[in-house]
Structures are given as C-alpha cells and as structure tokens.
Amino acid sequence: MTDKIIGLHHITAVSGPAKENFDFYTKVLGLRFTKKTINFDDPFTHHLYYGNYEATPGSAITFFPWQGVTQGSPSTGEATVVAYAVPTGSLSFWKEYLNKAGVEIISETGRFGDKSLLFKDVEGMKNELVEAGNIEAIRPQLHDSIPENHAIRGFYGTTLSLADTSRTAELLQEFGWEKQGEDGDSIRYSSKPENNLGTVIDLKKEPGLNGHFGRGSVHHIAFRVPDDNAQQEWRQKLIQMGFMPTPVQDRQYFRSIYFREPGGVLFEIATDTPGFTKDEPLGSLGTDLKLPPWYEQHRDEIEKRLPVL
Ligand code: ZN
C-alpha cells in the first residue's frame, strides 16, 4: 500500500517583472530568497524561489516571471488563493504592517474559524495570512520590520476553485487527506505533515470564473513525497486510477511528476530529496544564479539575457 501524501511541497505561479516580484516577496512579506535559477523548460526566464530560512518543503512559493505577460484573473479549475501560516497572535501586527506597506486588506473573515487576512500580492494574486498552531519553532527568515515571532513560516494551504468538487475530493482522500468540514461553498481537506506546513486545501465550488491565465495565476501546486520510491509508487497508482502522470522530471532540488486532476488544476508530486542545499550551503541560499548542468555551457548568454533583480 502506498504511503500518504503528507502535505504541499511548493506552489508555482506566473509573475510580472522579476524585480517587482523579488521586492514584494522578500521585502514586504519577508520571505527568504532561497534559489535563483531558471525555468528548465525556458532557460531565458528566471525561476525564483522563496521560503522560510531552511527552505523546507511546504514553504516554497516559486515564480516564472514571464516578459510581457498580461494580467491574469481567476478561473475555475485553478488554485486561486495561496495561504501562508503565521504563528498564533500575529495578525494584528500584520494588519498594521501591511497597511503601512500600502497593501490593501480585502477581508479579515476567514473560513472554518480561521483568523486570516486576505490581500493581493504585487501580481494581483490573492494571498492570505492565517494564524496556525505548532509552527513557532520553524526558523523564519529574519527581517528588519517583522518580528521573528510573527514572521511567515511557510504555507498554510491553498484554495482550489472548481466547477465540481467531488472528484477532486476523492483524489485528496486517496492521498490520505481528511475532510474537516464544509463552510459555505467550501469543503476543507487537511493533512498532518511533520512540520505542520501546507496542511490545508479548500475546495471551493466556483463554476463561473471565466478569467484568463497570466500574471498572478497559479501554474501548479506540488505535493510532497519523501523520495523517488514513494514517487514511483504514486505514479503507478495514478496510472491505475486513470490519470496520465508525466515521466519523472529532474528539477535539481526535487524530482517531479505532473498530472491534471479531475477539476482541471495541474498537480505535481515532488520529492523532498535532494533539497535546496544540493548546490549551495544553507547560509548562502539564493545568492548565485544556479543552472542545471545541462545549461552550464550557455551560462554567459543566459546571464546576459536575464533581468537584474
Ligand atoms: Zn513545481
């Protein structure tokens, strides 16, 4: 029997200009810039990774800054909210801080009894800060204006906007996630990873969102498995279930398979291994442009064409 899939690994979205994205996620939200690399399928585009200090699975929000991309808007069949976990008692700080930073709070009414702040990031993507328990011990990035006890630790979870939630719900149950309840149009599923990050997925019935994919759109959400063996088991299981997972792709810091879940969202299953310290030490993550070996011979041209952060 295959083990459970215990949480989110990363979430990847499309951004506008790289510098604006970098400034918002490091200077406003206070995340650590954990990896500067390229889109392995499009090497003249950055792939920017942000997370907590140790870049642990369940903390990585990543962006492809696409040149000249038009503004996206939410569509049915996408992840439409990315939620970050902050320690209990942090939201009053964040409300004042985001106000000062010029970030408008859209809502302070969370679902399922959550204490949360909803706002849009610089890309127009809906972000949420949610108070979560048992995360204080996770090491955050230090920031001049954000006290360490309030800093973001990683993901709380995400919201998937779907025409029909039932088959996605079945899939999450296969993954081992448990239904927590219903609130309005949303059904909540949760998991219990050891680090308490990326534990919540809300399936929201939103059949009529006719947006388009672009800046601020989530490209895919990735779930975590410990290693290649677990990933292979899940790949076989998905095939037996009628899905069409891709062959394993080497993403340097993890290995990935992708498939389209029944509601239309692109799902990935990524390995925790080898992790982000594969090619630079923990103390200097995000410092140098990292290329996979097969692009090293083109480093000069790639560096010339990438925008400055
Ligand atoms: Zn991914």
Side-chain angles (χ1 to χ4, degrees):
M1 150 132 189
T2 39
D3 288 333
K4 290 179 181 179
I5 289 182
I6 55 169
L8 293 175
H9 183 279
H10 66 270
I11 294 178
T12 295
V14 173
S15 82
K19 176 85 171 89
E20 287 175 32
N21 182 266
F22 176 82
D23 286 350
F24 184 85
Y25 278 87
T26 59
K27 294 175 186 168
V28 179
L29 291 190
L31 296 177
R32 187 174 190 194
F33 186 44
T34 52
K35 194 64 69 180
K36 176 160 61 171
T37 183
I38 55 170
N39 181 343
F40 294 178
D41 302 321
D42 177 13
F44 299 112
T45 296
H46 271 120
H47 193 183
L48 307 176
Y49 286 75
Y50 310 94
N52 60 25
Y53 185 82
E54 293 184 341
T56 45
S59 80
I61 178 78
T62 93
F63 290 91
F64 298 130
W66 284 350
Q67 300 291 333
V69 67
T70 55
Q71 183 63 50
S73 50
S75 290
T76 301
E78 280 179 1
T80 51
V81 184
V82 175
Y84 297 94
V86 294
T88 305
S90 296
L91 284 190
S92 52
F93 163 79
W94 277 99
K95 186 178 171 185
E96 196 183 327
Y97 171 85
L98 289 173
N99 273 328
K100 269 192 215 154
V103 178
E104 184 192 352
I105 308 289
I106 301 169
S107 166
E108 297 177 43
T109 314
R111 294 174 307 280
F112 300 93
D114 284 342
K115 289 191 174 168
S116 83
L117 294 176
L118 183 71
F119 57 94
K120 286 186 181 172
D121 73 358
V122 71
E123 314 299 348
M125 180 166 75
K126 279 185 182 168
N127 279 200
E128 205 172 15
L129 294 179
V130 185
E131 290 190 356
N134 301 319
I135 56 165
E136 298 84 353
I138 299 168
R139 187 175 175 186
Q141 173 72 349
L142 296 180
H143 183 282
D144 287 346
S145 310
I146 303 171
E148 187 175 351
N149 60 333
H150 295 325
I152 292 172
R153 287 342 197 234
F155 290 124
Y156 182 69
T158 184
T159 297
L160 309 184
S161 296
L162 303 168
D164 171 15
T165 57
S166 59
R167 291 185 61 214
T168 306
E170 282 170 21
L171 178 60
L172 290 180
Q173 281 169 15
E174 286 290 336
F175 283 3
W177 291 51
E178 290 179 11
K179 183 176 174 179
Q180 294 301 305
E182 300 189 19
D183 186 348
D185 292 334
S186 295
I187 309 173
R188 172 160 292 183
Y189 280 82
S190 72
S191 71
K192 289 190 175 61
E194 81 299 344
N195 64 6
N196 296 310
L197 294 178
T199 62
V200 164
I201 294 182
D202 288 343
L203 305 181
K204 189 173 185 188
K205 197 170 168 96
E206 279 192 301
L209 297 178
N210 296 314
H212 69 271
F213 191 80
R215 178 176 184 174
S217 299
V218 171
H219 186 267
H220 61 266
I221 68 169
F223 293 84
R224 34 185 303 223
V225 288
D227 54 29
D228 298 316
N229 286 339
Q231 185 182 58
Q232 267 313 320
E233 286 181 15
W234 274 102
R235 188 169 184 279
Q236 291 312 316
K237 182 161 175 166
L238 288 165
I239 290 168
Q240 285 162 14
M241 290 166 69
F243 293 104
M244 291 189 291
T246 63
V248 176
Q249 315 281 312
D250 182 2
R251 300 310 189 193
Q252 285 296 92
Y253 313 108
F254 45 88
R255 282 171 282 278
S256 302
I257 58 172
Y258 305 83
F259 67 102
R260 193 74 63 182
E261 61 83 33
V265 183
L266 187 61
F267 276 10
E268 172 180 345
I269 296 176
T271 55
D272 284 354
T273 51
F276 293 98
T277 51
K278 183 187 173 187
D279 58 0
E280 55 190 342
L282 184 61
S284 56
L285 287 182
T287 307
D288 298 321
L289 177 71
K290 293 296 175 186
L291 301 177
W294 58 94
Y295 282 128
E296 274 298 344
Q297 58 175 319
H298 302 295
R299 176 176 280 273
D300 287 350
E301 195 191 353
I302 289 171
E303 286 188 341
K304 253 184 251 154
R305 285 173 58 174
L306 287 173
V308 175
L309 292 178

